[in-house]
Amino acid sequence: MSKVSWRPGTQIYPLPAVLVTCGDRPDNWNMLTVAWTGTICSDPAMCYISVRKERASYPLIEANMEFTINLTTVDMVRATDWAGVRSGRDYDKWKETGLTPLPGEMVKSPTIEQSPLSIECRVKSIMHLGTHDMFIADVLNVRADDRFLDPDTGRFCLEKANLLAYSHGHYFSLGEILGKFGFSVQKKK
């Protein structure tokens, strides 16, 4: 086996393809597709999104210092892609995608009814990096679709949601479960 060197780039894949919702009232609620997102800290719960300044949602997030990360599913793939290639300056993304906004519980930005999990965030700081600015945020609330709650254990079965992933310009569904955290060192029963 040999390896070929490439120029420095963003090759950490797969990533979640999320829909970030923003705005402080129904007449300016917007959404954008983001793949540059992730967890920063467990306690306190913190995450980030990275957004280009020229995006229509950027000033809404910057002004309100809030946003919601909505996980997406295979059923939402067309809406997820469409919301990422069209601008909220030119289209009503809610109408065009058929997605349904729900008022946030802890933030003014909406959640998406069709999303299996929505994470309401308040921006703590903004890092100006280059092509993107990183919004570092505290997680204020997580809203889970109760269809994915196991009635016996109360466990949230996110694997049943058929989540969407993004890898190097393409969307994928997630595959089969290969193990759970710590399975490699777990004692045999």
Side-chain angles (χ1 to χ4, degrees), residues 35-40 46-50 67 69 134-137:
W36 302 164
T37 184
T39 300
I40 296 175
M46 294 176 65
C47 59
Y48 79 94
I49 59 171
S50 291
F67 59 85
I69 296 172
M134 180 186 292
F135 291 88
I136 297 171

Side-chain angles (χ1 to χ4, degrees), residues 13 27 41 60 62 75 83 101 115 144 148 166:
Y13 293 115
D27 68 324
C41 187
L60 292 171
E62 185 179 41
D75 291 341
S115 175
F148 304 108
Y166 177 82

Side-chain angles (χ1 to χ4, degrees), residues 3 23 30-31 33 39 49 73 80 86 90 97 104 117 119 124 130 137 143 147 154-155 161 163 183-184:
K3 294 196 175 198
N30 196 25
M31 72 177 89
T33 305
T39 300
I49 59 171
T73 65
T80 302
R86 296 291 188 224
D90 304 322
T97 62
L117 195 76
I119 304 164
K124 191 172 186 149
R143 297 176 75 180
R147 292 179 300 157
R155 179 179 166 273
L163 292 176
F183 84 98
S184 64

